[in-house]
Amino acid sequence: MRTVYLDNNATTRVADEVLEEMIPCLRDVFGNPSSMHHKGAEAGEPLNLARRRVAALLGAQPEEILFTSCGTESDSTAINAALTAHPDRKHIITTMVEHPAVLSYCEYLEKKGYRVTFVPVDKKGCLDLKALYAAVSEETAIVSIMWANNETGTIFPVEEIAKKVKSLGAAVFHTDAVQAVGKIDIDMADSAIDMLSLSGHKLHAPKGVGALYIRKGTKFAPFLMGGHQEKGRRAGTENHSSIVALGRACELAAEKMEEENTRVKALRDRLEKGLLETIPNSFVNGDLDNRLPNTCSISFEYVEGEAILLMMNEFGICASSGSACTSGSLEPSHVLRAMGVPFTAAHGTIRFSLSIDNTDEDIDTVLECLPGIINTLRQMSPFWAEAMAAKA
Ligand code: PLP
């Protein structure tokens, strides 16, 4: 059976060009970059190149790039650094629709005594900017707002927000750009953003590597302590081969972004249009005019997302649902709840997320299979029967 992989916001395949550059680092260039001998020096070179490549994609300076183990670590490091560097400020601002990497840490910090403002969103998933700006004060240590939402693809105006919240007194602005990097043009040289998180496995590098951009001059405190790696900013022997891979992936993203964004968006739009036309009681979530080109969050009313996923999997189709299985009960995702998506639709929400690997054939497969799947499930759904009876 052919795999149709449409879950690229969860993770991406490592690109062949990336793998090619990674393998010699595991096999031959295996020295510890901190070692004084020639094997250490040999390993240091590709690390420097990777830093230059990541910086280039962000319009940053190489010294502003800190390598981490993942997007989650980058997010935690940024928040922790801001709070440590500004000990008198006890207020954090974030949004209700962040990834758990930010949300859970902020909830933890709230329990530890920090005051946290969770900014709400509207039906389209757009931020309530009035509420955001009204919350900022001289007490605000950090405002952390994602660049693009992982579930709906909705893009937030983080550059404009960074400028505004800093003018209102916030000490630091951080953005979780894990889903944005490689899909949106980013130029940190011309930005008020102080810190930015990214993750390798979302842009065709392996899992287990990420980076944090830290603007020159930003007060910083390390999250991991121990050795002197990363100029004392992040202890722990570098994940050398994966960092090299991340560098190559960033270079590839820079080369292909414009062309691939156009191609992938056309595929996504064809998928969306085809599904909306053939499946009644379905709608797309998010800000349709301001979304990542690869993401489609679509709700099919009166069916269960998990059942859709299982049935699509029978056809080789991989996607994800808008529900999270928490403590045995299937709760619609916090993002859909924050947007006020009705319960009957939130449960039947599927996220398709595309990448450079997807083709027209992938879209054809989904368009052939999914209308039948939804129809079958609706025939078994008491909610569908009820809704149809009410309509009649
Ligand atoms: N932030 C966002 C927006 C994400 O989508 C993800 C992963 O899905 C993360 C953070 C976490 O990244 P990682 O898996 O590298 O820890």
Side-chain angles (χ1 to χ4, degrees):
M1 186 172 55
R2 216 178 129 256
T3 293
V4 176
Y5 187 77
L6 293 165
D7 202 11
N8 289 278
N9 285 9
T11 199
T12 56
R13 187 180 75 88
V14 175
D16 296 343
E17 298 93 324
V18 169
L19 197 58
E20 238 169 63
E21 232 171 273
M22 189 181 176
I23 288 171
C25 291
L26 293 163
R27 199 178 41 205
D28 310 314
V29 189
F30 59 83
N32 186 330
S34 299
S35 298
M36 295 300 286
H37 45 67
H38 73 278
K39 289 303 282 181
E42 181 185 60
E45 256 323 292
L47 214 57
N48 294 337
L49 173 62
R51 207 180 300 279
R52 289 198 297 275
R53 284 169 161 175
V54 175
L57 181 65
L58 303 180
Q61 301 297 315
E63 319 79 76
E64 294 176 314
I65 304 301
L66 177 72
F67 290 117
T68 66
S69 68
C70 57
T72 302
E73 186 194 322
S74 299
D75 288 339
S76 291
T77 302
I79 295 168
N80 176 70
L83 299 179
T84 310
H86 301 277
D88 298 338
R89 296 174 177 241
K90 300 288 181 203
H91 180 221
I92 301 165
I93 300 179
T94 189
T95 78
M96 288 174 76
V97 295
E98 295 298 308
H99 186 274
V102 168
L103 213 48
S104 299
Y105 192 34
C106 287
E107 284 163 0
Y108 164 82
L109 290 166
E110 196 173 32
K111 287 196 190 109
K112 291 280 170 193
Y114 287 91
R115 186 164 66 82
V116 185
T117 303
F118 297 93
V119 178
V121 295
D122 66 13
K123 268 201 222 155
K124 283 162 72 178
C126 299
L127 276 182
D128 182 342
L129 293 179
K130 253 193 183 167
L132 165 59
Y133 297 147
V136 183
S137 75
E138 299 280 331
E139 269 180 48
T140 310
I142 181 166
V143 178
S144 180
I145 294 180
M146 65 197 334
W147 200 311
N149 186 269
N150 46 299
E151 292 191 28
T152 63
T154 297
I155 296 169
F156 292 147
V158 285
E159 295 187 288
E160 172 196 325
I161 294 172
K163 270 198 200 107
K164 182 76 178 170
V165 297
K166 290 180 76 181
S167 77
L168 291 170
V172 174
F173 183 86
H174 162 253
T175 182
D176 174 345
V178 164
Q179 295 293 346
V181 172
K183 296 169 199 152
I184 292 178
D185 251 329
I186 292 177
D187 184 9
M188 299 310 287
D190 186 27
S191 164
I193 295 167
D194 299 302
M195 293 196 259
L196 174 151
S197 301
L198 66 92
S199 172
H201 72 109
K202 310 292 182 179
L203 70 155
H204 303 280
K207 293 155 196 63
V209 64
L212 177 65
Y213 159 87
I214 309 162
R215 178 175 300 284
K216 233 183 238 168
T218 304
K219 284 191 190 168
F220 185 78
F223 195 55
L224 294 186
M225 279 165 254
H228 56 271
Q229 291 88 354
E230 296 291 283
K231 295 207 166 81
R233 295 183 300 178
R234 196 256 183 196
T237 302
E238 299 87 347
N239 182 355
H240 185 254
S241 57
S242 294
I243 291 172
V244 168
L246 174 61
R248 181 70 177 116
C250 286
E251 187 179 57
L252 281 178
E255 282 166 22
K256 295 184 177 181
M257 187 169 2
E258 203 180 323
E259 188 187 332
E260 278 301 321
N261 274 353
T262 308
R263 195 187 68 84
V264 164
K265 181 178 181 302
L267 291 178
R268 190 274 313 266
D269 290 349
R270 187 162 81 80
L271 170 70
E272 224 164 67
K273 187 165 177 282
L275 293 176
L276 292 174
E277 276 171 5
T278 51
I279 305 176
N281 294 69
S282 58
F283 59 86
V284 176
N285 300 296
D287 183 358
L288 305 197
D289 301 320
N290 195 21
R291 260 187 313 164
L292 292 175
N294 77 317
T295 306
C296 164
S297 164
I298 183 161
S299 296
F300 305 105
E301 289 182 294
Y302 310 111
V303 275
E304 282 295 334
E306 281 59 38
I308 305 172
L309 288 184
L310 290 175
M311 288 182 78
M312 285 202 300
N313 195 44
E314 296 290 303
F315 293 93
I317 303 166
C318 307
S320 65
S321 76
S323 306
C325 190
T326 41
S327 43
S329 72
L330 279 175
E331 277 289 318
S333 85
H334 67 285
V335 176
L336 299 175
R337 272 184 287 152
M339 290 165 62
V341 175
F343 197 72
T344 45
H347 269 289
T349 300
I350 299 295
R351 178 189 69 187
F352 295 102
S353 48
L354 287 68
S355 81
I356 55 171
D357 288 332
N358 291 115
T359 62
D360 266 309
E361 204 182 345
D362 295 337
I363 305 307
D364 291 339
T365 307
V366 181
L367 292 178
E368 276 159 29
C369 302
L370 196 48
I373 291 173
I374 302 292
N375 191 40
T376 305
L377 290 172
R378 280 183 176 159
Q379 296 316 312
M380 298 187 282
S381 160
F383 299 112
W384 176 252
E386 236 172 68
M388 289 306 104
K391 222 174 159 188

